[in-house]
Amino acid sequence: EVQLVESGGNLVQPGGSLRLACAVSGFSVSRTYMSWVRQTPGKGLEWVSTIYSGGNTYYADSVKGRFTISRDNSKNTLFLQMNSLTVEDTALYYCAREPTYSSPWDYWGQGVLVTVSS
Amino acid sequence: DIQMTQSPSSLSAFVGDRVTITCRASETINTYLHWYQQKPGKAPKLLIYAASNLQSGVPSRFSGTGSETDFTLTISSLQPEDFATYYCQQSHAIPRTFGGGTKVEIK
């Protein structure tokens, strides 16, 4: 059975850092494309970042230079390191699988809440 | 960035009604267009991929059409469990982008 379970969400002050994790079972994160997508009431669904099976990484302009996507193949876990957080980063963050290039996200985690506030 | 425009942003319908949601891309995306259903407190669920392909396990009352810039999602006979928010999303280019969503409510 495929499962994606996010963790690491929290309340953090502006300028702070947070590391999200997405523990995966049922497939190998190293053999597929994995993404982070976030959702806010105001801006809806927003793609954040993707890591390809080959290791290439891509970021939305809004997070480029501040966020880093990575994976630990031995733990079958995806990560999102978030630095220099702003109130605009407050959102529910989902990890999701993109099985092949340009395919949709077919499996999603349950989401983890990140709140940036003083 | 490719802008995805969904309409309407919300609609009210009766159980049994035929419902159509449209999605327009700001530039051609071939058929790299996907539809998701989201219920409150849940992650989006893939319904239709590549414009017209039904995801496994999704009821056949859902269908999708379109190519290039104009796409539609149709629910042939709305069921109580279909009341949700629907999103389109393009995977033709990075950044991946979503439509603003269509909330389907009970009339």
Side-chain angles (χ1 to χ4, degrees), chain A residues 73-118:
Chain A
N73 296 339
S74 66
K75 296 181 179 178
N76 212 31
T77 299
L78 177 74
F79 298 100
L80 185 68
Q81 177 67 43
M82 304 186 295
N83 299 331
S84 302
L85 285 161
T86 73
V87 295
E88 286 73 35
D89 296 316
T90 294
L92 187 62
Y93 284 74
Y94 296 100
C95 60
R97 184 182 83 161
E98 183 179 336
T100 60
Y101 180 74
S102 287
S103 68
W105 292 295
D106 60 352
Y107 288 102
W108 297 65
Q110 83 286 356
V112 64
L113 184 62
V114 172
T115 303
V116 184
S117 175
S118 54

Side-chain angles (χ1 to χ4, degrees), chain A residues 26-73:
Chain A
F27 65 90
S28 173
V29 296
S30 65
R31 296 184 179 182
T32 190
Y33 302 166
M34 293 296 297
S35 297
W36 290 95
V37 176
R38 66 187 181 184
Q39 185 169 31
T40 63
K43 295 185 70 177
L45 288 162
E46 180 187 18
W47 168 77
V48 173
S49 180
T50 297
I51 183 167
Y52 284 3
S53 52
N56 288 352
T57 58
Y58 300 87
Y59 300 92
D61 286 347
S62 58
V63 307
K64 199 173 295 182
R66 301 187 298 121
F67 289 13
T68 302
I69 191 171
S70 64
R71 66 188 181 216
D72 184 330
N73 296 339

